Amino acid sequence: SYGLWFGKDLRNEMRFSADFTTHELDLLQTIPYRDDSQPLVVNLGNAGLKARQSAAFRFDYANHNGPHKQEVSFNSSFDYSVRDIAQSLSYNTATGVYTYQPVNVSGGYHLSGSLNYSRDLDKKHCWSVQSHTNASLHHSVDHTMFSGETKSHLNTVNTLTVGEKAH
């Protein structure tokens, strides 16, 4: 991460951070096993399963200005799933048995940003105005099996959220 204060009276602040994380792997999922203790459900392990990995990037900027404690700030983030784990599913129409197995997927991300403004309206700092505008896009990657299908497949869902809060 890196932070910097600059400008007249050091009223501008900028920060950037990045990280890459390998998450702990549930070892039970990596054991090559078959659990068929329930008559219509089989759970399988996956010896080739790899740990989840993610990358995250953040950028923030703020301007602190004057005697009225006015502040304008911008925040953004990008989280990327380099490798994640999803449950694949298959259905045997002859026996009625569902089989589940963890598999690796990649490509999911979450992008977000916000713009904030605040300012005191009087010199005693008793009254203020604030505004917070935000937006985010979540691109989810998982396995899905639709009605009538016998095997799950990679599926993506995009969710856009936008908000505004003023007081």
Side-chain angles (χ1 to χ4, degrees), residues 93-149:
T93 56
T95 62
V97 174
Y98 287 93
T99 303
Y100 296 87
Q101 184 176 34
V103 294
N104 288 117
V105 296
S106 63
Y109 61 86
H110 185 247
L111 177 65
S112 66
S114 66
L115 179 62
N116 307 290
Y117 175 80
S118 65
R119 183 181 197 277
D120 287 344
L121 298 175
D122 64 334
K123 290 182 181 181
K124 293 184 180 182
H125 312 293
C126 295
W127 297 90
S128 66
V129 62
Q130 298 177 2
S131 174
H132 176 76
T133 304
N134 61 10
S136 70
L137 174 63
H138 186 199
H139 178 81
S140 177
V141 178
D142 205 347
H143 266 252
T144 300
M145 185 169 74
F146 294 110
S147 179
E149 295 182 337

Side-chain angles (χ1 to χ4, degrees), residues 23-119:
H23 305 268
E24 290 182 31
L25 184 61
D26 181 359
L27 293 179
L28 182 60
Q29 293 179 324
T30 64
I31 297 171
Y33 74 94
R34 177 185 174 90
D35 177 2
D36 55 7
S37 59
Q38 297 180 34
L40 298 178
V41 177
V42 174
N43 288 298
L44 301 175
N46 183 347
L49 196 65
K50 296 183 176 140
R52 292 177 41 234
Q53 291 183 325
S54 61
F57 304 92
R58 309 263 184 275
F59 175 76
D60 303 307
Y61 169 80
N63 174 275
H64 314 277
N65 194 359
H68 290 287
K69 292 187 176 180
Q70 177 175 300
E71 182 175 310
V72 176
S73 65
F74 171 76
N75 311 91
S76 63
S77 67
F78 178 69
D79 299 304
Y80 181 74
S81 176
V82 177
R83 185 172 50 231
D84 208 348
I85 297 174
Q87 281 290 343
S88 69
L89 171 65
S90 63
Y91 177 69
N92 184 325
T93 56
T95 62
V97 174
Y98 287 93
T99 303
Y100 296 87
Q101 184 176 34
V103 294
N104 288 117
V105 296
S106 63
Y109 61 86
H110 185 247
L111 177 65
S112 66
S114 66
L115 179 62
N116 307 290
Y117 175 80
S118 65
R119 183 181 197 277

